[in-house]
Amino acid sequence: MSTVVLLHSDELRALLSVEDCIEAVRSGYQQRGPAKPRTKLVSDAPRGMLTSYLSMLPETGRMGGYIYAAGFEAEDAQFLLPLFDGESGQLLALLDGASMNPYKTGAVGAVGVDALARKDVSTLAVIGSGPQARGQVASTATVRSFDTVRVYSPTAANRKAFAAEMSDRIGVSVEPVESSETAVRGADVVITATNATEPVFDGEGLEPGTHVTAMGQYDRGVREIDTTTVARAKYVTDLEERATNDAGAFLQAIEEDAIDESHLHGDLGAVLSGAVDGRTSPEEITVFDSGGTGVETVAVASMLYDRAQEEGLGTEIEISAASDALDGR
């Protein structure tokens, strides 16, 4: 039997720090360990999806992944994250991963902004007002300083509530606006964090030098950014293989004959390691398509596990090793 630590979302929430998540995720992508795009299984009746993805971080010495079920009759989601030791292969922990999700997703967005956006940005536009948008703005505001932040989402009450909450949280006045065009106009950094299935702004409206982080969609048939945005930009994704797996904006731009597969500049790990360049001019438009991978998941989970061990948090449970239980009897 092996002792495994079960960590609940409330315990993890107490350990979460935006800045530390960003540093963990940056390190995770720099390591460029084995990782695979998500696998998604879809049920039509009841409607829902079962999703997983995996990653190994060789320098951190940890590996694992994420599995979650969303929708179905409960119309909810649950996230479970197994974390393994990279040398022994021993299961170390099971994390109830809901509370960490916006932090680790926001962290990879911030790492992308830091790698690709201009240093002299001043205006941030965010389209979306849910938990993931909160995570993106909170994280991005730690790697760049903004004088102006604008938010648009279709429901006025939601964008107003988001603006009030995030103004207090990041110390910059966040303005709710009535259209995505108003939000994007003149913005230096644009974040899309929505469940939209069609583009949420017109790429012709992007100013030279803009950086776009698109993180709300990861399916071949849906997209938040249009073909114009993809075609105008230096296009970077979180994992190279994901571009032709489930990056709907990239795949639909290919289908529309606006680009071909060579338009993919590289992935975030390649930019961070220097294998490919990042931004090369102030006028360049850049896109970071962040659909989610196991890299940020394992990186943040590993950090949280270490902190939980230091704090004595978690519940110990016993898990049978194959040498004990896999006997066919």
Side-chain angles (χ1 to χ4, degrees), residues 24 77 82 91 128 151-152 206 252 257 308 321:
L91 180 63
V151 59
Y152 170 74
L206 294 174
Q252 291 184 55
D257 293 324

PDB file of all heavy atoms in Angstrom, residues 24 77 82 91 128 151-152 206 252 257 308 321:
ATOM      1  N   ALA A  24       5.812  29.112 -11.530  1.00  0.00           N
ATOM      2  CA  ALA A  24       5.770  27.658 -11.698  1.00  0.00           C
ATOM      3  C   ALA A  24       5.452  27.291 -13.138  1.00  0.00           C
ATOM      4  O   ALA A  24       6.073  26.396 -13.726  1.00  0.00           O
ATOM      5  CB  ALA A  24       4.738  27.050 -10.745  1.00  0.00           C
ATOM      6  N   ALA A  77     -19.403  20.547 -13.099  1.00  0.00           N
ATOM      7  CA  ALA A  77     -18.109  19.979 -13.473  1.00  0.00           C
ATOM      8  C   ALA A  77     -17.333  19.609 -12.222  1.00  0.00           C
ATOM      9  O   ALA A  77     -17.477  20.246 -11.177  1.00  0.00           O
ATOM     10  CB  ALA A  77     -17.302  20.970 -14.305  1.00  0.00           C
ATOM     11  N   PRO A  82      -4.342  13.750 -10.605  1.00  0.00           N
ATOM     12  CA  PRO A  82      -3.360  12.867  -9.973  1.00  0.00           C
ATOM     13  C   PRO A  82      -1.944  13.378 -10.236  1.00  0.00           C
ATOM     14  O   PRO A  82      -1.593  13.722 -11.361  1.00  0.00           O
ATOM     15  CB  PRO A  82      -3.603  11.522 -10.668  1.00  0.00           C
ATOM     16  CG  PRO A  82      -4.132  11.883 -12.013  1.00  0.00           C
ATOM     17  CD  PRO A  82      -4.863  13.186 -11.866  1.00  0.00           C
ATOM     18  N   LEU A  91       2.388   7.472  -6.966  1.00  0.00           N
ATOM     19  CA  LEU A  91       1.328   8.464  -6.850  1.00  0.00           C
ATOM     20  C   LEU A  91       1.511   9.230  -5.541  1.00  0.00           C
ATOM     21  O   LEU A  91       1.546   8.636  -4.466  1.00  0.00           O
ATOM     22  CB  LEU A  91      -0.041   7.784  -6.889  1.00  0.00           C
ATOM     23  CG  LEU A  91      -1.271   8.696  -6.775  1.00  0.00           C
ATOM     24  CD1 LEU A  91      -1.346   9.669  -7.949  1.00  0.00           C
ATOM     25  CD2 LEU A  91      -2.548   7.851  -6.698  1.00  0.00           C
ATOM     26  N   GLY A 128     -15.282  38.791 -21.831  1.00  0.00           N
ATOM     27  CA  GLY A 128     -15.654  37.721 -20.917  1.00  0.00           C
ATOM     28  C   GLY A 128     -15.607  38.245 -19.493  1.00  0.00           C
ATOM     29  O   GLY A 128     -14.816  39.142 -19.176  1.00  0.00           O
ATOM     30  N   VAL A 151     -13.700  46.023 -20.089  1.00  0.00           N
ATOM     31  CA  VAL A 151     -14.294  44.692 -20.141  1.00  0.00           C
ATOM     32  C   VAL A 151     -15.623  44.751 -20.883  1.00  0.00           C
ATOM     33  O   VAL A 151     -16.417  45.670 -20.691  1.00  0.00           O
ATOM     34  CB  VAL A 151     -14.492  44.101 -18.734  1.00  0.00           C
ATOM     35  CG1 VAL A 151     -15.403  44.972 -17.856  1.00  0.00           C
ATOM     36  CG2 VAL A 151     -15.054  42.676 -18.822  1.00  0.00           C
ATOM     37  N   TYR A 152     -15.817  43.748 -21.730  1.00  0.00           N
ATOM     38  CA  TYR A 152     -17.120  43.570 -22.376  1.00  0.00           C
ATOM     39  C   TYR A 152     -17.566  42.133 -22.200  1.00  0.00           C
ATOM     40  O   TYR A 152     -16.782  41.188 -22.377  1.00  0.00           O
ATOM     41  CB  TYR A 152     -17.079  43.873 -23.874  1.00  0.00           C
ATOM     42  CG  TYR A 152     -18.366  43.442 -24.542  1.00  0.00           C
ATOM     43  CD1 TYR A 152     -19.529  44.176 -24.355  1.00  0.00           C
ATOM     44  CD2 TYR A 152     -18.429  42.269 -25.290  1.00  0.00           C
ATOM     45  CE1 TYR A 152     -20.732  43.760 -24.915  1.00  0.00           C
ATOM     46  CE2 TYR A 152     -19.620  41.850 -25.857  1.00  0.00           C
ATOM     47  CZ  TYR A 152     -20.771  42.598 -25.670  1.00  0.00           C
ATOM     48  OH  TYR A 152     -21.955  42.169 -26.206  1.00  0.00           O
ATOM     49  N   LEU A 206      -7.775  45.446 -34.911  1.00  0.00           N
ATOM     50  CA  LEU A 206      -6.565  45.383 -34.092  1.00  0.00           C
ATOM     51  C   LEU A 206      -5.537  46.388 -34.587  1.00  0.00           C
ATOM     52  O   LEU A 206      -5.239  46.449 -35.786  1.00  0.00           O
ATOM     53  CB  LEU A 206      -5.961  43.976 -34.124  1.00  0.00           C
ATOM     54  CG  LEU A 206      -6.773  42.857 -33.477  1.00  0.00           C
ATOM     55  CD1 LEU A 206      -6.085  41.525 -33.737  1.00  0.00           C
ATOM     56  CD2 LEU A 206      -6.949  43.090 -31.974  1.00  0.00           C
ATOM     57  N   GLN A 252      -9.773  26.606 -38.694  1.00  0.00           N
ATOM     58  CA  GLN A 252     -10.743  27.231 -39.596  1.00  0.00           C
ATOM     59  C   GLN A 252     -10.073  28.236 -40.524  1.00  0.00           C
ATOM     60  O   GLN A 252     -10.504  28.423 -41.665  1.00  0.00           O
ATOM     61  CB  GLN A 252     -11.861  27.881 -38.783  1.00  0.00           C
ATOM     62  CG  GLN A 252     -12.744  26.822 -38.105  1.00  0.00           C
ATOM     63  CD  GLN A 252     -13.927  27.411 -37.375  1.00  0.00           C
ATOM     64  OE1 GLN A 252     -14.717  28.151 -37.955  1.00  0.00           O
ATOM     65  NE2 GLN A 252     -14.063  27.082 -36.095  1.00  0.00           N
ATOM     66  N   ASP A 257      -8.430  28.907 -46.416  1.00  0.00           N
ATOM     67  CA  ASP A 257      -7.289  29.175 -47.306  1.00  0.00           C
ATOM     68  C   ASP A 257      -6.604  30.510 -47.025  1.00  0.00           C
ATOM     69  O   ASP A 257      -5.967  31.098 -47.915  1.00  0.00           O
ATOM     70  CB  ASP A 257      -7.720  29.128 -48.782  1.00  0.00           C
ATOM     71  CG  ASP A 257      -8.135  27.727 -49.213  1.00  0.00           C
ATOM     72  OD1 ASP A 257      -7.509  26.766 -48.719  1.00  0.00           O
ATOM     73  OD2 ASP A 257      -9.073  27.604 -50.013  1.00  0.00           O
ATOM     74  N   ALA A 308       1.588  22.183   0.576  1.00  0.00           N
ATOM     75  CA  ALA A 308       0.700  21.449   1.481  1.00  0.00           C
ATOM     76  C   ALA A 308       1.491  20.548   2.423  1.00  0.00           C
ATOM     77  O   ALA A 308       1.139  20.405   3.608  1.00  0.00           O
ATOM     78  CB  ALA A 308      -0.295  20.625   0.665  1.00  0.00           C
ATOM     79  N   ALA A 321      -0.614  -0.657  -4.562  1.00  0.00           N
ATOM     80  CA  ALA A 321       0.310  -0.787  -5.683  1.00  0.00           C
ATOM     81  C   ALA A 321      -0.041  -2.037  -6.478  1.00  0.00           C
ATOM     82  O   ALA A 321      -0.630  -2.997  -5.950  1.00  0.00           O
ATOM     83  CB  ALA A 321       1.740  -0.873  -5.176  1.00  0.00           C
TER      84      ALA A 321
END
